[in-house]
Amino acid sequence: ILNVEQSPQSLHVQEGDSTNFTCSFPSSNFYALHWYRWETAKSPEALFVMTLNGDEKKKGRISATLNTKEGYSYLYIKGSQPEDSATYLCAFLARDNYGQNFVFGPGTRLSVLP
Amino acid sequence: GAVVSQHPSWVICKSGTSVKIECRSLDFQATTMFWYRQFPKQSLMLMATSNEGSKATYEQGVEKDKFLINHASLTLSTLTVTSAHPEDSSFYICSASLGPQETQYFGPGTRLLVL
């Protein structure tokens, strides 16, 4: 069973603060790493799909990096706003000769206080 | 982003009945659809992956005779919880994508309560 961990479990920051959190995953059989953002009462929304070691992706104030050799990805939010409050999920896709596995982490719940 | 709908959003049923949940991709043709289940205070657990026109691939521990998945077209997949029991009460959510490793577009989820 693949283990995908995220830390911290929850985070409270003030509006304007920058923040980051971590997704850890197995370093073997890596195929892709997804980041999603899930606001309460809405559907999870795709942020990034990352496939290459050293990938850096950016979408507005949110960016992510990927290290497949050591098995982690960081998500950064610059100048947090209350509308950034959500649960951020990473999902790890592994693929080998027998098939593929797609596993979500438990998420980091971010609350941005005005 | 792409829009995925799910119906119904809420269902309450008696133990022993079967419940069908529909997942539709409204503005794109989804080669692959995923079905997830979320237990309280836990993350999304992948139940199965379905590709249009072929049998679904179930994750370990998920009973395929209990959770019937049909992906008959590129815009519709259904999950039927057969002979539902209280332990099947959960939040079920689907997603659709252009391929198994591509970005997933999620539906709003279906909350099932089995009495």
Side-chain angles (χ1 to χ4, degrees):
Chain A
I1 297 176
L2 298 176
N3 195 30
V4 179
E5 296 175 349
Q6 286 186 251
S7 63
Q9 186 177 4
S10 65
L11 193 55
H12 293 82
V13 301
Q14 289 294 135
E15 182 175 357
D17 286 351
S18 293
T19 186
N20 67 83
F21 20 94
T22 309
C23 172
S24 302
F25 50 85
S27 53
S28 57
N29 299 321
F30 175 88
Y31 195 80
L33 193 284
H34 295 214
W35 280 101
Y36 293 88
R37 172 193 142 95
W38 196 358
E39 284 182 74
T40 304
K42 294 188 177 179
S43 305
E45 173 199 347
L47 290 174
F48 305 113
V49 175
M50 309 178 82
T51 55
L52 297 174
N53 184 42
D55 248 357
E56 288 189 31
K57 297 224 172 176
K58 191 169 190 261
K59 187 176 183 178
R61 293 179 291 100
I62 304 177
S63 59
T65 60
L66 178 67
N67 183 323
T68 60
K69 293 185 191 297
E70 296 181 40
Y72 64 84
S73 175
Y74 294 140
L75 190 79
Y76 301 91
I77 302 179
K78 187 176 176 183
S80 304
Q81 299 296 309
E83 57 265 30
D84 296 329
S85 298
T87 297
Y88 291 82
L89 297 167
C90 68
F92 168 67
L93 178 63
R95 183 176 272 190
D96 59 21
N97 293 334
Y98 303 99
Q100 63 183 43
N101 284 290
F102 195 73
V103 178
F104 273 84
T108 292
R109 186 181 294 274
L110 173 68
S111 297
V112 182
L113 307 171
Chain B
V3 179
V4 176
S5 70
Q6 235 176 289
H7 178 80
S9 52
W10 262 102
V11 59
I12 300 174
C13 67
K14 288 184 180 178
S15 189
T17 59
S18 293
V19 175
K20 182 188 273 190
I21 303 169
E22 290 187 351
C23 178
R24 291 181 186 271
S25 58
L26 299 183
D27 52 2
F28 73 105
Q29 294 188 319
T31 310
T32 306
M33 286 187 168
F34 301 84
W35 286 96
Y36 296 87
R37 182 174 178 174
Q38 186 186 33
F39 293 98
K41 298 188 180 179
Q42 294 188 31
S43 189
L44 297 175
M45 184 195 80
L46 180 63
M47 298 174 69
T49 304
S50 74
N51 293 299
E52 185 264 338
S54 60
K55 288 185 181 179
T57 302
Y58 289 79
E59 296 299 304
Q60 198 171 12
V62 178
E63 298 174 61
K64 59 183 178 184
D65 295 331
K66 171 77 173 173
F67 299 100
L68 299 177
I69 290 171
N70 184 285
H71 190 166
S73 76
L74 285 171
T75 59
L76 173 65
S77 177
T78 60
L79 167 68
T80 301
V81 183
T82 60
S83 187
H85 287 95
E87 58 266 28
D88 299 323
S89 299
S90 196
F91 182 70
Y92 293 88
I93 190 168
C94 72
S95 69
S97 74
L98 294 172
Q101 69 276 16
E102 302 294 327
T103 297
Q104 294 182 33
Y105 300 95
F106 283 84
T110 296
R111 197 162 292 281
L112 170 65
L113 177 61
V114 185
L115 302 175

